[in-house]
Amino acid sequence: MRIFSDIDNDGSDDPASIRDQIRTNLSGVAATIALASARGGVGKSMLAVNIAAAWATKGRKVAIVDADLNSPSVAAMLGMRPQRRYPMIEGIEPAAGPHGLRVISSDQLPGGEPPPISFVQDYDQVDGNGAEPVAPVTTRPAELSYRGALSRMLAQTQFGTADLLIIDLASGLDRLYALASMMALDGVLLLSHPSSHDASDARHAMKIGRAFGAPIVGIVENMAGFNCDGCRAVRPLWPEGDLNGVAREAAVPIIGRLGFEPRLADSTDRGVLFVREYASTPTGKVLADIAAQIEAIVAVRARALNTPTS
């Protein structure tokens, strides 16, 4: 198997065979959840590592794919030192992280690799309905698009067995489209701010999920407010949007609301897990509850898929 940077200049890779290889590599993974958002800076990676840690605390095997290929941060948030992986004949082995977590990230690919992708889009944008791409962008032969880079990472990674695989996507609904078009997902968790723009983006994300059979299992609002010590209340940080209405309309639960918590940023900078170090805080309890709800949703979906239809 070729290593990650071995790019076919003529673009002759067979998408079907890549999808088959991804399916084979994920055959030992019980559930795969993608974390998605329309905008950057909403806290997907923070949520990914803390959900993973909450599952690992219960003795579950969890792997994380840092799919923000140009700006990976998961390994640093876990306190892992950058360590280049050696190419293997069978593929790339995920790096061992704390608490038994396993991580695949572009900053840990075999030594000497160039950056995995140029800033090239597979599509100019997703159309207004959020379900169909518009005309593809023309790229130079030496460049690899996000879709191509991510598919090769997934096709060349030996995941082994795991109870949960979390794919931490780069921001943008086109990233969700790219992932959902190449592999089956047990669910998508949306992370957003409580604003009217994010509500509209959530509606488009749900359409993408439905188009590919990737259910939106829940929405998490980050920076939903801040604790005002003087007035003993939680004050909003953003103008109130219509996310509640969108969630009700689509029958998608809002499974958690995280207030502004400076220690979250501090913990990620220090490479420690908030859900472990600050487990007894209100935010720590919300994070643990989000992880528990995802576990319950995944279990219900697995039972439904395994139930014979009459």
Side-chain angles (χ1 to χ4, degrees):
M1 182 177 291
R2 293 169 302 168
I3 62 173
F4 187 66
S5 64
D6 189 5
I7 301 169
D8 281 342
N9 288 342
D10 62 0
S12 61
D13 279 7
D14 177 12
S17 64
I18 290 177
R19 286 195 294 269
D20 288 343
Q21 186 62 52
I22 293 172
R23 190 180 303 112
T24 298
N25 288 355
L26 295 174
S27 60
V29 176
T32 303
I33 297 290
L35 267 62
S37 72
R39 297 169 182 16
V42 296
K44 285 189 306 300
S45 297
M46 172 278 297
L47 188 61
V49 297
N50 280 286
I51 289 174
W55 276 56
T57 300
K58 298 180 179 179
R60 306 296 174 83
K61 294 181 179 179
V62 184
I64 307 174
V65 171
D66 190 339
D68 190 343
L69 303 180
N70 277 317
S71 302
S73 58
V74 165
M77 289 184 179
L78 291 171
M80 299 169 63
R81 294 182 178 180
Q83 181 180 0
R84 295 287 179 177
R85 313 296 291 171
Y86 292 100
M88 301 173 64
I89 294 175
E90 298 84 4
I92 299 169
E93 185 76 14
H99 314 296
L101 299 175
R102 303 173 77 226
V103 178
I104 181 67
S105 171
S106 62
D107 60 0
Q108 294 180 314
L109 290 170
E113 296 287 334
I117 62 172
S118 298
F119 288 93
V120 178
Q121 303 295 326
D122 294 279
Y123 300 100
D124 289 316
Q125 60 184 355
V126 175
D127 77 358
N129 294 322
E132 295 293 335
V134 297
V137 173
T138 300
T139 65
R140 294 191 298 274
E143 292 178 328
L144 189 61
S145 68
Y146 180 85
R147 180 194 297 263
L150 181 58
S151 66
R152 294 186 184 201
M153 176 184 278
L154 295 171
Q156 296 182 32
T157 299
Q158 303 300 304
F159 291 101
T161 59
D163 297 300
L164 177 67
L165 173 66
I166 298 174
I167 301 180
D168 176 25
L169 286 168
S171 58
L173 297 185
D174 55 330
R175 308 313 198 199
L176 174 58
Y177 187 99
L179 179 66
S181 66
M182 73 177 70
M183 62 174 287
L185 294 168
D186 293 290
V188 177
L189 181 64
L190 292 180
L191 191 61
S192 77
H193 292 145
S195 70
S196 57
H197 292 299
D198 283 69
S200 176
D201 293 332
R203 184 179 285 109
H204 290 162
M206 292 173 192
K207 290 179 180 178
I208 294 173
R210 283 197 296 270
F212 289 99
I216 308 298
V217 297
I219 300 172
V220 174
E221 280 187 343
N222 194 17
M223 302 185 192
F226 70 97
N227 291 317
C228 176
D229 293 335
C231 54
R232 297 183 180 179
V234 176
R235 294 296 184 91
L237 280 170
W238 302 81
E240 192 168 327
D242 193 32
L243 194 57
N244 284 334
V246 171
R248 285 195 301 270
E249 173 189 322
V252 173
I254 296 178
I255 65 172
R257 287 185 168 91
L258 294 165
F260 178 71
E261 170 57 83
R263 288 175 297 185
L264 266 177
D266 175 67
S267 66
T268 57
D269 285 346
R270 290 188 292 116
V272 299
L273 291 157
F274 190 95
V275 77
R276 305 276 301 217
E277 187 169 20
Y278 300 104
S280 61
T281 65
T283 299
K285 292 176 181 177
V286 171
L287 287 168
D289 184 60
I290 291 170
Q293 289 189 66
I294 292 173
E295 187 172 8
I297 291 168
V298 167
V300 169
R301 178 167 167 76
R303 286 197 296 271
L305 292 175
N306 292 327
T307 301
T309 56
S310 56

